[in-house]
Amino acid sequence: MKIALLYPAVTNDGFAVNDIRPKTAWMHHGLCYISAVLKKEGHSVSLIDLRQLFGWHELPGIIKSIKPEVVGITIMSLDFDAAVRSAKIIKETDKNIKVVAGGVHPSLMESELADNPDIDYIFKGEAEITFPKVLEDMAGGRLPTKVITGERPDLDTIPFVDRFLFKTIEAPVVPYLKMPFITATAGRGCMYNCNFCQPAERSIFGSKVRRLSVERFMEELTLTKDSIGLNSLMIHDDCLVEDVKWVERFLHLYTKDGFRKPFVCQARADIIVKNPGLFKDMKRSGLAMLLIGFESGSQRMLNFLRKGTTVEQNYKAAGICKRLGIRIFANFMLGMPTETREEVMETVNMIKTIKPYVPSPTFYTPTPGSDLFDYCIKHDLSLIDKHEDYKRNPTAPKIKGVDYEFLRKALEETVKLPLSVKAARKIDRLKLGRFNKKKIKNYKI
Ligand code: B12
């Protein structure tokens, strides 16, 4: 069959601007996995990446030129409006095209799409096993039920992600990482229970974290290195380091196979404090930066968030990273329900003390499917009335009763970086600038 996969992520990124289509943008791993299985089954797959369009006016022409029988749209909560607008345009262009909505938002908020006449099927959960069967049914004239739930695959048995689906080049998360930079997922799910996320992740990926075997993951990296090149790597998993044995084996093979390329991944403060030796080994094998969910400098708030870490661990973990020379990308939130001004300032002081290479603040945003989202609804606290407000950037107010003027001022203090960090970032930017000019023109995908 002729399938088009549509990535509607223009809420954050916007359409192409200034008459230039973006050359760099990250790929969507969910769509790339789907593309890989569908191609393996013999389907023809194309991508409609809305970020590459100059505006909505281009979409009908693209649909007419591809002439897909099915369009699969992936939807994060913030991109809901762009996704349903795309579905409407697709149906107006050709009402015979079947539209399937999948991804995080349809998996968690099926009811918001149930009555939408432009969405034929709502796909919940993972797609690799079930979506091809749905297409087979459609091709054979058997109509699937409107709501479909995907079976969870054994990750070692599915094809590698299709790294050629997206035409953009992935740009490094921070300038000092060299291109070709690639993103990868080694597993799915998260064993922790933070209330700002769970049980959403469990309901999509199950309660048990599944990871590729290290051997299979290395096979994927080797293939990537040989086909598009690999000079730095970001592993997207929610918490890669939760499985210490997996990481140890990974380090062993990663260095043995001669990679030693800088990589970054996410971590938690408690794991760093409990396993400093692991992080020393990671640094030796190329770990360049850790994205750490510090979340708050207030113990009461960490408990309220069910984070399972302590403020003391936050400080200690930062100290360990500093000693090992691992840059810190610090994720933290302000404006949670019940948070006091003093607690906000505890977070500000923590970040000022940690002095991360990248301070990454968010205004707490209740996201569907999480217990804290339900709490906000129950207590009538949510100010979110448009899907686009699900973006977590510290811009728009999210929670009733929170003094956002105060938060903005508090935030200004956390992003005032010390001179040493500013200088390091400037040098990194200069290095990247030189690299871009030299290499990007010759970079073929
Ligand atoms: C990597 C990542 C990113 C990366 C890259 C995103 C990308 N383009 O892939 C970056 C850093 C850019 C990012 C940004 C954001 N992210 Co993010 N991100 C993730 C993360 C950690 C991994 C995503 C992933 O690759 N998963 C693995 C793949 C295989 O799973 P998948 O994409 O869900 O796809 C499978 C199924 O869902 C399904 N499926 C998906 N699409 C479709 C479509 C069809 C047709 C079908 C049939 C099936 C199907 O099949 C796929 C294969 O089995 C997830 C957490 C997580 N564990 O998933 C958060 C997550 C998706 N992000 C989240 C958020 C909130 C954001 C931001 C909004 C944050 C912000 N800045 O405000 C932005 C928005 C980005 C945008 N749309 O513009 C939330 C989404 C919550 C929600 N309800 O929408 C998550 C769930 C984190 C969380 N627990 O809160 N993110």
Side-chain angles (χ1 to χ4, degrees), residues 270-285:
D270 53 343
I271 301 179
I272 300 173
V273 171
K274 285 176 198 153
N275 306 279
L278 176 75
F279 290 86
K280 195 173 175 193
D281 291 347
M282 287 173 84
K283 169 69 188 170
R284 224 184 278 137
S285 312

Side-chain angles (χ1 to χ4, degrees), residues 129 253 262 330:
I129 297 177
L253 294 189

Side-chain angles (χ1 to χ4, degrees), residues 7 30 74 77 79 103 125 127-128 188 197 201 236 238 392-393:
Y7 187 43
T74 190
S77 299
D79 292 320
E128 287 86 349
R188 298 179 189 177
C197 175
E201 281 238 5
H236 271 326
D238 291 287
R392 294 175 182 163
N393 312 21

Side-chain angles (χ1 to χ4, degrees), residues 205-250:
F205 298 115
S207 50
K208 203 169 170 299
V209 180
R210 279 159 303 140
R211 211 158 259 127
L212 291 160
S213 63
V214 181
E215 286 70 14
R216 178 93 180 142
F217 187 58
M218 287 309 303
E219 223 184 296
E220 179 182 344
L221 293 189
T222 308
L223 199 72
T224 306
K225 186 172 85 172
D226 295 345
S227 54
I228 63 171
L230 192 164
N231 266 328
S232 60
L233 162 71
M234 173 162 185
I235 306 175
H236 271 326
D237 298 36
D238 291 287
C239 190
L240 185 81
V241 294
E242 73 191 15
D243 188 342
V244 173
K245 286 212 156 38
W246 193 98
V247 179
E248 282 170 349
R249 175 110 188 108
F250 166 67

Side-chain angles (χ1 to χ4, degrees), residues 5 7 9 12-13 26-31 33-34 51 72-79 100-105 107-108 123 125-128 131 185 187-189 196-197 201 204-205 236-238 266 367-368 390-393:
L5 298 174
Y7 187 43
N12 248 352
D13 294 350
W26 290 4
M27 61 188 240
H28 184 277
H29 285 263
L31 288 184
Y33 267 113
I34 295 173
R51 299 171 302 179
I73 310 181
T74 190
I75 318 182
M76 274 194 212
S77 299
L78 84 159
D79 292 320
V100 185
V104 186
H105 198 78
S107 297
L108 301 168
F123 194 98
E126 293 167 67
E128 287 86 349
F131 192 43
T185 53
R188 298 179 189 177
F196 52 89
C197 175
E201 281 238 5
I204 301 173
F205 298 115
H236 271 326
D237 298 36
D238 291 287
Q266 313 210 50
T367 37
Y390 283 122
K391 63 176 155 230
R392 294 175 182 163
N393 312 21

